[in-house]
Amino acid sequence: MTVVAVLVQEGAIGFEVMIPGQVFGMANMAAAEGDSDRGGAVGSPRYDIRVCAVGRSVTTLPVWGATELRTPFGPEAVAAADIVVVPGAEKFLEEPDSEVLDALRAAAARGARIATVCVGAFTVAAAGLLDGKRATTHWQWTDELARRYPAIDVDPTVLFVDNGQILTSAGMASGLDMCLHLVRSGLGAELASRTARRLVLPLWRDGGQAQYIEHPDPVDSTHSLAPTIEWMERNAAEPLGLEAIAARASMSVRSLTRHFRTHVGTTPLALLVRMRVDRARRLLESTELSVDRVARESGFGSEASLRYHFTRSVGVAPQKYRSSYLTAS
DNA sequence: CCAGATACCCGCCACT
DNA sequence: TTAGTGGCGGGTATCT
């Protein structure tokens, strides 16, 4: 069981406080569904989510909805957590409470993962945990983060950054992507994809995507490529070229790449590679197929190609991923 | 891991 | 005039 502590500070942004509960809670439901599908008894939940405050037991959420949050847990939740999520708070430009900083440093020191949403990155930065690391935050505040903490390598162009131990996300909805990423790395791509479906989240939003995309014509642009992308998802195992994709979208190759850049924020091939890596992950998790077979079944032309992309996006080689995944579950 | 071949991506620009 | 399209060139990423 993975303990997730959501560390709430005064003036926390309500939406972001709720994100971990929604994603990890949904992962619990997806896991239970998986248990019964396999004919076995429903196992215990995978995640234990504890909304907590350090210093105060009740934190108000005075803006944007004017509600009040009761935090059932205190510092002991942070001390017990495997993952500490830090949502953004209203007064993020002020020095955080020293108890909060101490709790974060202690958690990091004993190896817990720390994940920030939005301007929560400022809190973790104040604890000195981001020095020398790559990080991101809400695009309105990336410059300020870089100015205050020159030792941090701030990347304003991505949805989230995973440093292994510390994760930072761009803000608001990208916190969903980051938490889903944590589910994927903890429990596997198959469960993560079922969780995404329950959350009605697109599967393919990934860390390396533009934070914001201009939408000159939101009505048309948000949906025009959706059928093409679904088609790519279904046919990712086939050798797809730009020509074929463009034909499917009934436009030229030039227009296709242009639309991808402006509306999706990435390129057709980059998206396809992500889809294929995801397939490969699932095959490695759930089958005994050789790495070479996995490469072909997931749409990569060769084992070398799979290894190249897999290692780049997952961080470990396919074979290593399979063995570590099996021992972890 | 290297190298040659190929595919892709995107600025530029003419065109509808 | 503005908005969108798509061919072309060639630097770069990817494949074999």
Side-chain angles (χ1 to χ4, degrees):
Chain A
M1 172 107 83
T2 303
V3 176
V4 180
V6 183
L7 205 177
V8 178
Q9 299 173 85
E10 192 67 32
I13 297 164
F15 173 67
E16 296 175 2
V17 172
M18 304 316 290
I19 287 173
Q22 291 297 305
V23 177
F24 295 119
M26 208 60 106
N28 282 341
M29 295 180 70
E33 178 192 65
D35 291 342
S36 57
D37 283 354
R38 280 191 295 274
V42 174
S44 58
R46 272 42 166 197
Y47 293 100
D48 180 0
I49 305 118
R50 303 176 183 175
V51 175
C52 64
V54 174
R56 314 178 165 72
S57 59
V58 174
T59 299
T60 55
L61 305 169
V63 292
W64 296 346
T67 182
E68 189 182 73
L69 180 75
R70 199 169 300 279
T71 50
F73 295 93
E76 76 286 350
V78 179
D82 301 294
I83 300 171
V84 181
V85 180
V86 185
E90 199 186 5
K91 296 176 183 167
F92 66 98
L93 291 176
E94 295 172 16
E95 176 73 7
D97 288 350
S98 58
E99 296 103 317
V100 169
L101 297 180
D102 290 341
L104 285 172
R105 291 194 192 104
R110 63 184 171 73
R113 302 186 86 177
I114 296 177
T116 73
V117 184
C118 190
V119 293
F122 281 81
T123 305
V124 175
L129 297 174
L130 286 174
D131 289 344
K133 296 197 168 69
R134 211 161 70 85
T136 194
T137 185
H138 190 280
W139 59 269
Q140 281 188 303
W141 298 102
T142 48
D143 287 347
E144 180 65 14
L145 186 68
R147 194 185 64 73
R148 290 189 177 208
Y149 304 97
I152 301 175
D153 177 13
V154 180
D155 187 344
T157 68
V158 294
L159 287 179
F160 61 85
V161 174
D162 181 356
N163 278 317
Q165 189 182 5
I166 317 262
L167 299 89
T168 47
S169 68
M172 299 287 165
S174 67
L176 292 163
D177 298 280
M178 181 183 67
C179 288
L180 191 62
H181 168 78
L182 283 166
V183 171
R184 183 179 289 126
S185 60
L187 301 180
E190 171 62 28
L191 186 64
S193 105
R194 283 192 285 123
T195 304
R197 199 171 311 140
R198 281 173 173 261
L199 289 164
V200 200
L201 258 189
L203 247 184
W204 57 77
R205 269 164 59 100
D206 211 339
Q209 182 177 347
Q211 274 196 28
Y212 55 92
I213 300 164
E214 300 293 339
H215 287 283
D217 180 2
V219 179
D220 175 56
S221 61
T222 31
H223 299 296
S224 60
L225 279 173
T228 308
I229 289 169
E230 279 171 35
W231 177 80
M232 286 170 68
E233 175 87 59
R234 283 199 304 280
N235 294 87
E238 310 298 322
L240 287 183
L242 269 191
E243 302 249 335
I245 300 169
R248 179 74 197 188
S250 36
M251 59 179 80
S252 68
V253 170
R254 183 68 191 88
S255 288
L256 180 80
T257 53
R258 200 206 319 269
H259 278 119
F260 257 82
R261 175 53 62 203
T262 49
H263 301 320
V264 187
T266 182
T267 70
L269 191 71
L271 179 62
L272 196 55
V273 165
R274 262 187 245 156
M275 290 170 170
R276 286 174 170 163
V277 166
D278 207 59
R279 263 167 196 262
R281 275 182 118 125
R282 293 190 222 183
L283 290 170
L284 289 167
E285 291 165 11
S286 60
T287 73
E288 300 289 314
L289 295 176
S290 68
V291 174
D292 189 64
R293 277 292 304 282
V294 169
R296 320 235 164 233
E297 300 278 322
S298 52
F300 289 100
S302 69
E303 192 182 328
S305 181
L306 166 68
R307 231 196 317 276
Y308 173 71
H309 289 292
F310 196 93
T311 308
R312 246 168 49 132
S313 83
V314 181
V316 296
Q319 193 61 254
K320 179 124 185 164
Y321 177 80
R322 171 178 270 161
S323 55
S324 63
Y325 179 77
L326 291 178
T327 52
S329 56

